Amino acid sequence: MHRIQLSAPRTSGISDSSCFHEGFILKLRMDDNIVGFGEVAPIEIHQEDIIDVEEQLRFLFHRVKDCELDVVPLLRGSFSNWIWTSIGIPPSSVFPSVKCGLEMAILNLLASQRKCRLSEILTGSNPLLRDQSLVEYNQNSSAGIHICALLDSDGTPMEVALAVTKLVDEGFTTVKLKVGRRASPAEDAAVIQKIREVVGYKINIRADANRKWTYKQAIEFGSRVKSLCLQYIEEPVSSVHDLIKFCENSGLPVALDESIDNLKGGPIQKLHQFVHPGIVAVVIKPSVVGGFENAAHIAKWAHMHDKMAIISSAYESSVGLATYIQFAYYVDRQHDLISRLKRYDSCGTVAHGFGTYQWLTEDVSEQKLKILVPPLGDGMGASVEDAHGYLHHLNINDEKIEKTYSEEKLNSYSIQVDGDHFSYVVKVQEAGDCTNDKVVLFLHGFLGTSEDWTPMMKALSPSARVIAVDLPGHGESQILQRDDENFNQISLTIQSVADLLLKLICNITDGEVVVVGYSMGARIALQMILNENHKISGAVLISGSPGLRHEASRRRRTAIDKSRAQFLLTYGLECFIKTWYSGKMWTSLREHPQFDSLVRTRRKHSNITDLSKVLADSSIGRQKSLWEDLKHLEKPVLIVAGEKDVKFKEIAERMCSETREYGEREADCRSNQELCEMIVVPESGHAVHVENPLPLVRALRKFLVRLHQP
């Protein structure tokens, strides 16, 4: 994680006025010492913050380390497919800045491996370049891009005009001014007027309102600058309807920026609402739109609709800038090629939005990324070769790095807990600071083990002391009988396992614990929070149930699970697993790319006899219904269900509804905090923590924060 000094606060208009910028430098390495760098540095315009990003990076680090990286054909939908098939994560759940940084590191790694520029890696994936004449044209094009200066236009009109004069003297031919922050649009227009008076019309001026104006204010600004030859006004208003109306009534050219930032799903279909010819440019921040793949699609759409595609940074260090420069060069070449294919003249040189480099008074490396006026003097720019060389020879300055992260190993140990007629030897895995007063205990479902939680534990270890156990009969845990003749007297019901775990908690910590349980583990967690309030501060119930309300239903389910337990003993674990996962509840899990590897982990249970006893004893049919007990709930509960898990989503909704109906509690709980909260995780079924874990990680961390608020 790096922290670098900026010369001034960022210009988004919603900055915290800090003159520092934080982010993460990713370093991917192949066996032969080939390295690729990426950067993840969210700012206030991103939906995610630095803590969100660190969680996802820790989770993904665990998943990515063994993946094949050289199978990624680029910019044709395959990177998102690689995230799904190789990492097992729905691409939509990866934060845009994280996806961009990971993609950046992989692109740079592949360029290093193939000993070529990143722009050549990108070009090789484009079907437009299959014609050899176009390939030659691409290779002979000038390998550089133009850069637009950025100016936060504080000060009097003359002061701003003089600042622009200085930028022009440095070699800039395009300048973007921030507007919409003065008392009235008339004052912003006066600044533009003064610049034209002082500098003249030899430069392009762009104005960026960041959606600050009402439609009426935007029209007023437009009427006052109509004769001042703006290249465009960027995002003058906040709604699409007003934006199109502004295009039609003002006569000013318009550029998109924020309007494309949050286009979920297929962005191309949603871009059709912006085909109006008055929209002349699209400003694309790869870290905001979700990486280079998405950015390339948006840029191609812009070119096909005769609009400029302007690649823009978001105050990244030179690592990000050097990569964006090469990507912008690729985008420019695609524009030239599309113009040739469509037989029309291109809109001329496009200046990309990398003026943020002037904010960097420090950088992550002692090396300098060259931004300069080329020998022919046709505007401030950057060379693709220089950008490639910067990354190829990059050495990170350790003084700018606040902390580093490499593979974290879990601490594994065993604890013996005594029950009636037997002892439970628990395999425990732990991560995080053992002195942290935020303690989380993870409980897996039937056939699972503590290892099911490993990626999530590594993601959350900076926020809490995280502990996972192998439940009785599972994994490496053991049930030690005191008397072989009394095996049938051993009770492994949900209640008895909850009692054992409460004893375990007392051995592990003197403080309170948040219990996170999945499926069978969720039933145990609910029993624990209802049993023993002074040791449990809260619970997260994933795909769980309070039990069956009616005696007849419980008897039927008891018989079913008893039969299943006998099937397991008779036919063995392999056959049982095939039958178990053929059920309707696992439909979406069977479609998961890592389903086969998950099934392989289910074959590692050491004692089938104990496992079958757990199945019979912990049957939801043998469990007391806890629906009525919900009225006695005194500690906060987060209930989680998968979007595709219709049955358990309905159960979760009923649990929340009935808990809230009981009204105000007399319990010692926070007066302003709801006891029961529910979230539905998209793109997942019953096994939420496997099918779409990243939203669950974020929800769990936020739940922990709320629990510990004063």
Side-chain angles (χ1 to χ4, degrees):
M1 179 178 175
H2 68 266
R3 178 179 171 88
I4 54 179
Q5 178 85 43
L6 302 179
S7 61
R10 295 182 289 266
T11 63
S12 66
I14 51 176
S15 173
D16 59 3
S17 298
S18 171
C19 288
F20 288 93
H21 187 47
E22 294 181 326
F24 294 90
I25 299 297
L26 311 185
K27 185 177 182 180
L28 298 183
R29 185 189 300 273
M30 288 185 170
D31 292 338
D32 44 3
N33 212 32
I34 294 171
V35 174
F37 290 96
E39 181 172 4
V40 183
I43 60 175
E44 55 278 353
I45 62 173
H46 290 84
Q47 60 175 289
E48 63 271 21
D49 61 27
I50 199 75
I51 299 175
D52 294 325
V53 159
E54 182 174 4
E55 280 179 351
Q56 286 206 351
L57 289 174
R58 284 175 173 267
F59 187 101
L60 293 170
F61 185 92
H62 177 75
R63 289 285 184 88
V64 168
K65 59 184 174 64
D66 296 322
C67 290
E68 292 287 335
L69 298 180
D70 60 350
V71 296
V72 188
L74 302 170
L75 304 185
R76 298 174 66 187
S78 57
F79 184 72
S80 292
N81 185 63
W82 177 82
I83 290 175
W84 172 239
T85 57
S86 296
I87 307 180
I89 301 293
S92 61
S93 70
V94 182
F95 289 126
S97 64
V98 174
K99 189 177 179 185
C100 179
L102 180 59
E103 195 174 3
M104 185 188 300
I106 291 174
L107 286 168
N108 284 322
L109 183 69
L110 294 176
S112 179
Q113 180 193 38
R114 299 175 190 181
K115 298 180 180 179
C116 65
R117 301 172 184 167
L118 180 144
S119 54
E120 294 170 36
I121 293 284
L122 299 173
T123 298
S125 73
N126 196 312
L128 286 172
L129 298 178
R130 290 173 183 164
D131 184 285
Q132 185 59 37
S133 65
L134 295 182
V135 173
E136 292 174 358
Y137 171 79
N138 183 73
Q139 291 175 342
N140 292 331
S141 297
S142 175
I145 57 109
H146 286 74
I147 292 176
C148 172
L150 177 63
L151 188 61
D152 198 355
S153 52
D154 294 333
T156 66
M158 179 55 77
E159 288 171 340
V160 176
L162 292 175
V164 172
T165 301
K166 182 180 178 182
L167 291 170
V168 173
D169 291 342
E170 291 174 6
F172 286 100
T173 57
T174 303
V175 177
K176 182 165 88 169
L177 301 170
K178 292 291 183 175
V179 295
R181 301 169 192 189
R182 296 176 183 268
S184 71
E187 293 186 24
D188 283 310
V191 172
I192 307 289
Q193 177 69 47
K194 181 57 67 174
I195 293 171
R196 285 304 188 199
E197 290 175 4
V198 173
V199 180
Y201 289 78
K202 60 185 178 182
I203 64 165
N204 293 317
I205 297 178
R206 301 169 178 174
D208 183 5
N210 290 118
R211 297 181 158 191
K212 297 288 186 183
W213 287 323
T214 64
Y215 174 75
K216 183 178 179 180
Q217 290 171 322
I219 286 293
E220 180 187 351
F221 175 81
S223 67
R224 291 177 180 272
V225 301
K226 195 168 186 178
S227 63
L228 299 179
C229 296
L230 287 186
Q231 189 174 41
Y232 58 68
I233 170 69
E234 188 176 323
E235 296 285 355
V237 291
S238 60
S239 77
V240 174
H241 176 266
D242 285 347
L243 187 73
I244 302 302
K245 190 164 66 167
F246 178 84
C247 290
E248 293 173 346
N249 295 331
S250 72
L252 279 183
V254 168
L256 304 176
D257 184 359
E258 289 91 344
S259 293
I260 67 166
D261 287 350
N262 297 309
L263 295 178
K264 303 295 184 183
I268 301 305
Q269 293 80 5
K270 297 172 184 176
L271 284 169
H272 287 314
Q273 61 189 314
F274 301 116
V275 296
H276 193 284
I279 298 173
V280 301
V282 181
V283 179
I284 308 166
K285 295 182 177 71
S287 71
V288 179
V289 301
F292 299 89
E293 190 171 74
N294 284 348
H297 288 318
I298 296 169
K300 184 177 180 181
W301 177 89
H303 294 153
M304 296 300 292
H305 290 83
D306 304 334
K307 305 180 192 302
M308 290 184 285
I310 298 165
I311 308 304
S312 179
S313 58
Y315 295 89
E316 287 90 350
S317 74
S318 290
V319 172
L321 285 170
T323 309
Y324 292 158
I325 287 166
Q326 297 181 76
F327 179 65
Y329 172 74
Y330 163 80
V331 168
D332 285 350
R333 299 287 70 77
Q334 302 320 296
H335 181 218
D336 293 341
L337 293 168
I338 290 173
S339 298
R340 283 164 56 92
L341 290 171
K342 293 181 70 174
R343 300 181 185 279
Y344 67 77
D345 293 332
S346 71
C347 59
T349 301
V350 172
H352 294 280
F354 303 144
T356 55
Y357 81 89
Q358 294 184 301
W359 266 251
L360 300 177
T361 56
E362 295 180 329
D363 214 332
V364 296
S365 171
E366 295 296 340
Q367 302 156 253
K368 297 296 183 183
L369 177 63
K370 295 179 182 178
I371 307 288
L372 45 78
V373 180
L376 296 179
D378 57 348
M380 186 67 74
S383 158
V384 171
E385 188 60 39
D386 288 341
H388 167 72
Y390 175 86
L391 292 169
H392 184 68
H393 300 289
L394 180 63
N395 287 308
I396 300 297
N397 182 357
D398 291 339
E399 293 181 3
K400 305 304 177 188
I401 303 301
E402 295 212 327
K403 59 181 177 180
T404 60
Y405 175 76
S406 57
E407 178 67 5
E408 179 181 10
K409 292 185 178 180
L410 301 184
N411 181 26
S412 184
Y413 56 93
S414 295
I415 294 179
Q416 181 169 314
V417 180
D418 293 331
D420 295 334
H421 307 293
F422 73 102
S423 295
Y424 167 36
V425 180
V426 193
K427 179 192 175 182
V428 181
Q429 296 205 88
E430 182 173 335
D433 183 356
C434 63
T435 64
N436 196 325
D437 60 354
K438 297 178 185 175
V439 183
V440 181
L441 175 65
F442 288 97
L443 307 178
H444 58 76
F446 183 69
L447 290 180
T449 69
S450 57
E451 293 182 2
D452 292 358
W453 302 107
T454 297
M456 192 171 292
M457 292 171 69
K458 292 185 176 183
L460 290 167
S461 61
S463 303
R465 180 187 177 194
V466 285
I467 300 167
V469 299
D470 286 357
L471 290 171
H474 291 77
E476 297 178 27
S477 287
Q478 301 176 56
I479 297 174
L480 303 180
Q481 300 166 227
R482 296 180 191 149
D483 185 346
D484 290 343
E485 296 180 0
N486 292 326
F487 179 71
N488 291 330
Q489 295 182 24
I490 295 175
S491 174
L492 295 175
T493 62
I494 294 297
Q495 176 67 69
S496 62
V497 173
D499 292 341
L500 287 170
L501 291 173
L502 286 167
K503 291 181 181 179
L504 173 68
I505 289 171
C506 292
N507 286 334
I508 291 175
T509 178
D510 294 330
E512 293 183 323
V513 170
V514 175
V515 185
V516 180
Y518 158 67
S519 197
M520 180 183 76
R523 291 191 283 128
I524 297 170
L526 180 59
Q527 187 75 62
M528 291 172 72
I529 199 170
L530 291 171
N531 278 0
E532 193 78 21
N533 279 306
H534 78 276
K535 290 300 294 183
I536 311 297
S537 60
V540 179
L541 312 177
I542 307 165
S543 304
S545 166
L548 302 174
R549 294 180 188 268
H550 306 296
E551 179 62 30
S553 299
R554 290 197 291 273
R555 283 199 301 268
R556 282 195 300 271
R557 182 56 185 267
T558 299
I560 290 171
D561 286 335
K562 187 175 181 180
S563 175
R564 287 171 172 166
Q566 187 58 49
F567 182 92
L568 172 58
L569 285 173
T570 304
Y571 295 100
L573 187 57
E574 181 78 24
C575 188
F576 177 83
I577 288 172
K578 289 181 181 178
T579 304
W580 179 262
Y581 284 113
S582 66
K584 182 180 179 181
M585 186 167 68
W586 310 110
T587 299
S588 62
L589 181 62
R590 288 195 297 270
E591 297 170 354
H592 194 275
Q594 296 191 343
F595 174 70
D596 290 341
S597 62
L598 179 141
V599 168
R600 284 193 291 273
T601 67
R602 300 315 191 221
R603 299 168 181 156
K604 297 181 179 180
H605 301 292
S606 58
N607 192 314
I608 295 178
T609 301
D610 291 349
L611 188 64
S612 66
K613 182 167 182 59
V614 170
L615 176 56
D617 286 6
S618 66
S619 167
I620 197 170
R622 293 192 61 183
Q623 175 186 338
K624 172 194 170 186
S625 172
L626 299 177
W627 284 100
E628 283 297 311
D629 295 64
L630 292 175
K631 68 177 66 175
H632 304 301
L633 187 65
E634 297 178 355
K635 296 294 180 70
V637 170
L638 173 64
I639 301 176
V640 181
E643 178 185 38
K644 301 175 185 177
D645 190 4
V646 176
K647 175 182 175 181
F648 280 84
K649 189 165 63 172
E650 290 176 353
I651 290 172
E653 289 168 349
R654 289 204 304 273
M655 287 177 69
C656 274
S657 175
E658 294 193 19
T659 301
R660 290 166 180 167
E661 281 178 8
Y662 294 129
E664 188 173 356
R665 306 311 198 269
E666 296 179 359
D668 181 21
C669 62
R670 295 169 177 82
S671 59
N672 294 325
Q673 185 177 40
E674 283 196 37
L675 284 175
C676 187
E677 180 186 356
M678 175 184 170
I679 64 166
V680 176
V681 177
E683 300 180 77
S684 65
H686 191 70
V688 176
H689 64 309
V690 175
E691 298 176 55
N692 197 1
L694 292 181
L696 182 59
V697 170
R698 192 186 198 196
L700 178 51
R701 193 249 306 165
K702 289 182 177 294
F703 181 70
L704 292 174
V705 170
R706 288 195 297 274
L707 284 180
H708 288 81
Q709 284 176 342

